[in-house]
């Protein structure tokens, strides 16, 4: 019997979930799908400047899991940029942070789309 899937903690949903080329000359695969956990690792590591260890603690998973998720996310970003594919962020195995857990949230002065409500962090 397989081990049950561990939910990843995500504290910020993307404000925009679709990205793509503006010139409509899409020559690559139609769409690249990035799951929400991959978006969260890009946000925490690249935008917020967290280490993989700190990101793992924030997401409640092992550092090696964060490393794998982050590598998958970077590959999808690169594929979308290089091939001119549409990038969509959707799905995954995650649970949203509770109000009390939102300490790191979406960062200062950014909108956080959390549980169908918009919260502005100041």
């Amino acid at each position: 019997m397989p081990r049950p899937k561990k939910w990843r903690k995500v504290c910020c949903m993307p404000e925009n979930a679709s990205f793509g080329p503006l010139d409509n000359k899409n020559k690559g695969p139609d769409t690249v799908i990035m799951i929400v956990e991959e978006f969260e690792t890009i946000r925490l590591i690249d935008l917020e400047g967290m280490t993989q260890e700190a990101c793992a603690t924030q997401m409640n998973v092992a550092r090696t899991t964060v490393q794998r998720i982050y590598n998958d996310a970077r590959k999808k970003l690169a594929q979308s940029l290089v091939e001119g594919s549409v990038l969509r962020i959707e799905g995954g195995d995650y649970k949203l942070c509770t109000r009390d857990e939102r300490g790191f949230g979406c960062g200062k002065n950014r909108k956080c789309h959390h549980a169908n409500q918009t919260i502005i962090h100041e």
Side-chain angles (χ1 to χ4, degrees):
M1 182 173 191
R3 193 172 121 196
K5 190 88 169 170
K6 185 172 184 179
W7 296 94
R8 286 77 186 247
K9 185 168 65 170
V10 171
C11 291
C12 189
M13 295 297 289
E15 189 171 338
N16 300 298
S18 291
F19 305 89
L22 297 176
D23 60 9
N24 291 330
K25 294 179 184 175
N26 187 357
K27 295 178 183 161
D30 292 338
T31 304
V32 174
I33 304 295
M34 176 181 283
I35 59 176
V36 174
E37 303 99 276
E38 292 167 341
F39 166 82
E40 183 75 342
T41 61
I42 293 290
R43 184 183 73 79
L44 292 174
I45 295 169
D46 292 336
L47 185 63
E48 301 296 341
M50 282 188 166
T51 63
Q52 287 184 6
E53 189 68 39
C55 179
T57 300
Q58 174 72 19
M59 292 181 70
N60 198 31
V61 294
R63 188 204 50 80
T64 54
T65 300
V66 163
Q67 185 176 28
R68 181 184 48 77
I69 293 169
Y70 181 63
N71 287 339
D72 291 346
R74 289 181 58 195
K75 183 171 182 166
K76 290 176 183 180
L77 281 173
Q79 180 182 357
S80 178
L81 288 171
V82 172
E83 296 177 356
S85 302
V86 171
L87 176 70
R88 284 196 3 234
I89 304 169
E90 62 184 40
D93 297 310
Y94 66 94
K95 288 188 178 179
L96 289 173
C97 297
T98 64
R99 286 185 179 268
D100 297 333
E101 295 174 319
R102 260 190 263 134
F104 213 82
C106 296
K108 194 171 185 170
N109 297 321
R110 289 193 197 97
K111 290 182 182 178
C112 183
H113 297 272
H114 178 79
N116 299 322
Q117 56 186 324
T118 300
I119 297 140
I120 300 183
H121 298 280
E122 297 182 24

